[in-house]
DNA sequence: CAGGATGCTGTTGTGTACAACATAATAAAA
DNA sequence: TTTTATTATGTTGTACACAACAGCATCCTG
């Protein structure tokens, strides 16, 4: 569905820009924006840029072969999503999530997960069912060779798969926003937990959801998801005594 | 609580900028951003800029006495909120909401309204109670002299009052975003309806909510709100045959 | 040696000129 | 007259130079 390459793709962008781009350039511009936006968001929530990291506009602009101006548009969107914060004279800092906000976001995400089954649920297509089977396969694979980063990536893809179960676009946008706000905190905590156990639980969740999707019961899938978000939160709370700080 | 002046306030900003601004200028910059953002958002949802309006970056920049660059930052945020859409070579257009998205947003807003009573409800302070009494007074006043714009402003203030009933900040942000996405569509439709009747119904809603708030029952207030959003949507659907289009 | 002022360095914010683009009016050709 | 090419105009997008700012090291002064 979506590409989450973290390297070698902006190189393509540069080639497309300088090379044989004889199609409409405006679309190329919007696609470039989308690519950089998605790329940076992924780097943030995959902890390539841990909370507190200071990003340099100039360095990023140079990396993507563009000027600071269009890059700042991307950073502005990321800032409006609460992932960055620009401070004059200091830098562009990757935000952290304080404990209170983390709790609130998780509570809200639980409710929204359930709403997926209530608002405009869409009967799963064979393609969607296939996607969840593929996710389940990746889950099994991950159990044999646990890895935090692959775990996080599977979690992201699973989330996007769930978003295909509703046609309510505002719900999707909002769920996505909240997901990306806490995904990195979750990932940061996962490292301090029993990785194998978490992977096993997650694999079971995928399997359960896949079963529900297969018989077309989106509501059941959403309830399964909700309960797992809830339980995941409980486990996180039990193992995470300290949290980060951020103004 | 919040100021929604549509004129004579940016003049203050200019004076503060050129005049005796011997405090930290960075705060002044952020406040300026916030002021212009709020101002433009209000103009959009109060239909000063009806859907389809083409805004000129240069004209707006001149109006606020700044360059296009900082203004574009504001426009970028409004675009990320779905209120604007910039098209290269054409202009910055105020978006419209197609019927499907409108339905989806309303459905979602109903659920979120109920969540206000479930997620981190905050016991109303005397100040909050006073606010709702004031809103109720304005509602009565409005009944004697119905006016679409004053109606819209009261609706906005009432919404912000309701947001004080929860401490869940993400829920507030998201509710606000969805509210401002559909408020102008609601206002546009109100004009074609029985204004006096709508005002009367709204005044009753305020009174009911005020009663619930007064006894500290935030959950009841949220359910009242939910039901009124639902009924408002039904009335809108019955009186609005045609809708606007937007890519 | 301690404390504070001062310059140095790197960062984001702003202004401005120009490029890329879309649209409509206009002129030319069939 | 119709159609097509072209020019004119106004718009947003981009690049770059500079201003404003914060943090830090340095140096001067007591």
């Amino acid at each position: 569905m979506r590409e989450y390459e973290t390297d070698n793709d902006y190189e393509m962008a540069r080639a497309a820009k300088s090379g044989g781009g004889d199609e409409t350039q405006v679309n190329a511009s919007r696609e470039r924006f989308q690519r950089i936006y998605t790329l940076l968001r992924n780097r943030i929530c995959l902890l390539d840029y841990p909370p507190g990291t200071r990003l340099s506009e100039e360095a990023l602009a140079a990396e993507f072969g563009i000027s600071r101006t269009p890059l700042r548009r991307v950073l502005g969107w990321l800032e409006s999503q609460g992932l960055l914060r620009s401070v004059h004279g200091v830098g562009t800092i990757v935000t952290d999530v304080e404990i209170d906000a983390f709790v609130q976001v998780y509570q809200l995400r639980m409710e929204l997960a359930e709403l997926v089954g209530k608002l405009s649920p869409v009967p799963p297509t064979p393609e969607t069912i296939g996607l969840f089977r593929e996710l389940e396969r990746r889950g099994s694979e991950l159990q044999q060779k646990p890895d935090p980063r692959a775990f996080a990536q599977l979690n992201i893809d699973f989330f996007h798969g769930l978003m295909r179960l509703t046609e309510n676009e505002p719900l999707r946008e909002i769920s996505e926003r909240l997901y990306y706000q806490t995904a990195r905190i979750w990932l940061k905590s996962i490292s301090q937990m029993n990785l194998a156990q978490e992977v096993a639980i997650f694999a079971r969740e995928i399997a359960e959801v896949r079963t529900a999707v297969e018989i077309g019961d989106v509501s059941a899938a959403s309830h399964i998801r909700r309960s797992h978000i809830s339980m995941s939160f409980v486990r996180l709370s039990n193992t995470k005594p300290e949290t980060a700080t951020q103004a």
Side-chain angles (χ1 to χ4, degrees), chain A:
Chain A
M1 190 62 184
R2 235 150 161 172
E3 296 185 4
Y4 287 94
E5 303 301 324
T6 51
D7 279 319
N8 291 19
D9 47 353
Y10 67 85
E11 203 63 34
M12 277 171 43
R14 295 196 60 181
K17 180 188 174 189
S18 58
D22 53 338
E23 293 186 13
T24 51
Q25 206 72 11
V26 57
N27 284 343
S29 177
R30 296 199 94 88
E31 287 173 11
R32 184 186 65 184
F33 172 90
Q34 193 65 35
R35 168 168 37 242
I36 298 178
Y37 176 81
T38 305
L39 179 60
L40 290 183
R41 187 179 62 174
N42 235 42
R43 288 184 182 175
I44 291 173
C45 86
L46 250 42
L47 297 184
D48 292 332
Y49 300 145
T53 303
R54 270 188 16 201
L55 304 179
S56 168
E57 294 183 352
E58 201 159 0
L60 286 175
E63 174 183 347
F64 298 120
I66 58 178
S67 170
R68 274 181 59 207
T69 309
L71 178 73
R72 279 173 63 79
R73 178 191 277 266
V74 177
L75 297 183
W77 275 57
L78 290 170
E79 187 174 4
S80 80
Q81 298 298 312
L83 299 180
L84 292 180
R85 178 172 174 83
S86 291
V87 183
H88 191 184
V90 177
T92 304
I93 297 107
V94 178
T95 61
D96 203 340
V97 180
E98 61 272 30
I99 183 65
D100 291 343
F102 185 79
V103 172
Q104 292 174 344
V105 171
Y106 250 78
Q107 286 179 334
L108 186 50
R109 280 188 56 204
M110 273 174 45
E111 305 294 339
L112 293 183
E114 187 176 340
L115 288 182
V116 169
K118 289 178 65 178
L119 303 184
S120 309
V122 46
T125 64
E127 184 192 357
T128 300
I129 295 175
L131 171 64
F132 278 97
R133 284 178 179 159
E134 168 67 11
L135 291 170
E136 187 177 4
R137 191 195 58 74
R138 286 171 60 188
S140 302
E141 199 176 73
L142 189 63
Q143 278 186 285
Q144 300 178 341
K145 193 178 57 167
D147 169 67
R149 191 182 181 88
F151 189 10
Q153 188 63 60
L154 180 58
N155 194 283
I156 291 175
D157 295 338
F158 179 59
F159 168 79
H160 282 116
L162 286 164
M163 285 302 101
R164 300 180 64 168
L165 300 181
T166 178
E167 281 181 337
N168 192 306
E169 184 59 25
L171 176 58
R172 290 209 283 223
E173 283 180 19
I174 283 168
S175 299
E176 191 170 316
R177 174 186 171 133
L178 294 176
Y179 174 80
Y180 279 99
Q181 273 184 6
T182 54
R184 55 220 165 102
I185 311 301
W186 167 82
L187 177 56
K188 199 166 61 175
S189 306
I190 281 294
S191 309
Q192 309 171 354
M193 301 171 65
N194 189 332
L195 187 61
Q197 177 184 333
E198 289 295 323
V199 169
I201 293 175
F202 185 54
R204 279 212 304 275
E205 178 182 359
I206 298 178
E208 291 178 59
V209 168
R210 191 263 305 158
T211 305
V213 167
E214 231 166 22
I215 62 174
D217 194 342
V218 174
S219 177
S222 70
H223 277 88
I224 294 168
R225 174 64 172 168
R226 185 204 155 106
S227 62
H228 272 88
I229 293 178
S230 175
M231 292 187 291
S232 172
F233 175 69
V234 172
R235 293 196 304 276
L236 283 174
S237 302
N238 291 340
T239 55
K240 207 176 60 159
E242 100 296 357
T243 53
T245 61
Q246 181 239 340

